[in-house]
Amino acid sequence: MDSKLVHNDMLNAFEAEIATLGAKVIEYRIKYCDHLTKNASAIYGELSSLREELVVQYMPSCSPEDLAEKLYSSRKTDIFSGITSIGPHRDDLDFKINSISARNFGSQGQQRSVALSLKLAEAKTLKDITGEQPVAILDDVMSELDPDRQAFILNHIKDWQVFITCCDPSTLLRSKKGKAFEVKEGKISEMG
């Protein structure tokens, strides 16, 4: 039997499975991103005091319907490069603030606000889907945020079970709920 035929038969079967499962992943991501983008846009709007508008767009490498065909058409290039160039592993999210790329032109504070809005939106989306508020872990979210944005974050998460790390505890000590701990020289002590 010709090894090239066996090789093509194996690739056909492999790509058919990738196309079937990859299409499902893309479809689930589209649905999830619809929820996520609505929540992220609303949260970012509040975080920026409605001065800026965030648009989040899911950017699939191809549509679920075209995945099998695109895999087949890129086969030669993929064999040469040793990677699959089409599929959900190549998808991305695009973020625009007032129609301008946040990734390329956003300030450090805007980029941090986008990332934070996305994290808070993920938690809201999970709560909307499951009915339960997830535990959130926010690492150093307060640095580079102005006092208004810090206050928004503290107010937004006031009823959550959340762990926040920071270098400047004074921002967290403004919150009237919860406990604050300091880790210093390997020892943990309660603050305030």
Side-chain angles (χ1 to χ4, degrees), residues 26-181:
I26 293 169
E27 289 168 2
Y28 283 127
R29 283 183 178 171
I30 289 169
K31 289 178 188 174
Y32 178 76
C33 283
D34 283 345
H35 288 285
L36 184 68
T37 56
K38 288 175 193 163
N39 290 331
S41 294
I43 291 168
Y44 189 90
E46 292 178 54
L47 191 57
S48 70
S49 302
L50 303 176
R51 291 184 303 251
E52 298 173 336
E53 179 184 27
L54 173 68
V55 174
V56 182
Q57 185 178 6
Y58 174 54
M59 307 290 289
S61 61
C62 69
S63 69
E65 302 81 26
D66 294 338
L67 185 54
E69 180 186 325
K70 298 276 187 183
L71 283 167
Y72 180 76
S73 66
S74 67
R75 181 184 290 178
K76 187 182 264 185
T77 306
D78 291 353
I79 289 170
F80 181 75
S81 67
I83 60 169
T84 307
S85 60
I86 300 293
H89 63 293
R90 294 292 192 175
D91 297 353
D92 205 352
L93 290 174
D94 186 41
F95 305 96
K96 287 190 168 55
I97 299 172
N98 296 339
S99 303
I100 299 171
S101 171
R103 181 175 292 152
N104 297 326
F105 301 106
S107 69
Q108 200 167 2
Q110 286 174 319
Q111 290 177 357
R112 184 175 280 278
S113 294
V114 168
L116 190 52
S117 296
L118 193 59
K119 287 296 172 198
L120 297 175
E122 285 175 333
K124 172 133 178 44
T125 301
L126 287 172
K127 183 176 182 187
D128 292 346
I129 292 169
T130 66
E132 295 183 26
Q133 181 68 49
V135 175
I137 301 172
L138 303 173
D139 184 29
D140 196 24
V141 297
M142 297 300 187
S143 67
E144 299 172 28
L145 294 180
D146 61 51
D148 289 339
R149 291 179 192 230
Q150 290 175 359
F152 170 80
I153 298 301
L154 292 174
N155 188 48
H156 191 81
I157 61 174
K158 68 181 178 192
D159 295 325
W160 295 18
Q161 183 175 352
V162 61
F163 296 89
I164 301 174
T165 65
C166 63
C167 295
D168 179 14
S170 65
T171 56
L172 295 180
L173 292 175
R174 290 185 301 188
S175 176
K176 297 186 179 21
K177 292 183 91 176
K179 293 183 179 182
F181 296 91

Side-chain angles (χ1 to χ4, degrees), residues 12-26:
N12 288 338
F14 181 68
E15 287 173 357
E17 192 69 15
I18 288 176
T20 300
L21 297 175
K24 287 181 183 177
V25 169
I26 293 169

